Amino acid sequence: MFEVKQNTMEDQLDVFHSLVSVRGEQIVTTSRTIADIFGKSHKNVLRAIRQLGCSESFRRRNFEPTDFIDKNGDRQPQFLLTRDGCMFLIIGFTGARAGAFKEAFINAFDWMEAMTRKRDELNRRINDYSIRALRSANDGSYHGRGLAQRRIEKSNLAIEEIKLRGEAQLRLLLDQETDELLPH
């Protein structure tokens, strides 16, 4: 069962990864995760989602029907929920621990959105770096004066490349962990 209390940043990241993941460009959670977190039967969560009093367009945007493979190897239904869908569903959940769980979901969605923004910024920086490195190499090869400038830029670009590769490696690890959480 899920525990709300975290002692370290690693514990908190583990909790966030267990609550939300990235699918395409969207941050989602699953109906199974919600059932587990709130101590409800998954079939009851599915029924609650199907009976929500929301418009059909809201339902299509925020509750994607999908399947997962259960422990017996059988396909079972589940929903992928966006942040809005999750909040719409769990706002009605009550009980002593419901508030802490709601807060944990909000924090997890916020964290994953921040990670997605950082990934996009890293991609922009990598593209910018690639353009500058190519331009520098071209300038250095076309004229002798550019060779001196190329030597200076080459050193700076090598340092920047090492930093970008490190950040990209961390992003790949995050993407890999996120992919492992989603049903295929």
Side-chain angles (χ1 to χ4, degrees):
M1 183 65 162
F2 172 81
E3 286 295 324
V4 176
K5 297 178 184 179
Q6 301 94 23
N7 297 323
T8 67
M9 180 59 98
E10 290 81 19
D11 292 339
Q12 193 168 4
L13 292 177
D14 287 344
V15 169
F16 289 166
H17 276 291
S18 70
L19 296 178
V20 297
S21 56
V22 176
R23 182 161 191 238
E25 293 297 316
Q26 277 198 317
I27 300 166
V28 297
T29 190
T30 68
S31 53
R32 289 185 306 135
T33 300
I34 291 173
D36 184 45
I37 298 304
F38 287 92
K40 297 184 177 292
S41 165
H42 186 236
K43 68 179 181 177
N44 290 340
V45 171
L46 292 174
R47 182 174 49 242
I49 291 170
R50 290 180 182 118
Q51 294 176 349
L52 283 173
C54 61
S55 70
E56 194 56 39
S57 65
F58 183 86
R59 182 179 304 282
R60 280 192 308 272
R61 284 191 318 269
N62 297 291
F63 302 95
E64 180 183 336
T66 185
D67 294 325
F68 72 98
I69 306 298
D70 68 10
K71 61 185 174 195
N72 298 325
D74 298 325
R75 284 192 176 279
Q76 298 294 331
Q78 73 172 357
F79 283 94
L80 296 179
L81 290 78
T82 65
R83 173 192 209 125
D84 292 344
C86 179
M87 295 304 116
F88 194 91
L89 174 65
I90 69 175
I91 199 166
F93 291 0
T94 59
R97 297 175 24 170
F101 291 134
K102 291 175 189 178
E103 185 177 330
F105 265 109
I106 290 168
N107 290 337
F109 273 100
D110 288 345
W111 173 80
M112 190 63 79
E113 286 172 352
M115 293 293 97
T116 302
R117 280 192 301 277
K118 285 181 182 180
R119 178 197 65 195
D120 294 344
E121 173 60 20
L122 177 60
N123 285 339
R124 186 201 59 75
R125 287 176 43 218
I126 289 170
N127 289 338
D128 179 61
Y129 161 81
S130 298
I131 291 168
R132 287 184 292 117
L134 184 60
R135 188 175 297 136
S136 174
N138 286 337
D139 289 349
S141 66
Y142 284 119
H143 40 80
R145 211 167 31 134
L147 287 175
Q149 181 64 31
R150 169 69 176 142
R151 282 187 208 105
I152 295 168
E153 289 177 352
K154 187 175 180 180
S155 169
N156 292 336
L157 288 168
I159 293 168
E160 186 176 351
E161 180 182 10
I162 290 168
K163 290 178 183 176
L164 287 170
R165 285 180 186 269
E167 288 182 45
Q169 188 64 31
L170 289 174
R171 185 191 80 205
L172 289 172
L173 290 173
L174 174 65
D175 290 346
Q176 183 180 29
E177 289 176 8
T178 301
D179 288 343
E180 292 171 1
L181 295 174
L182 289 174
H184 294 334

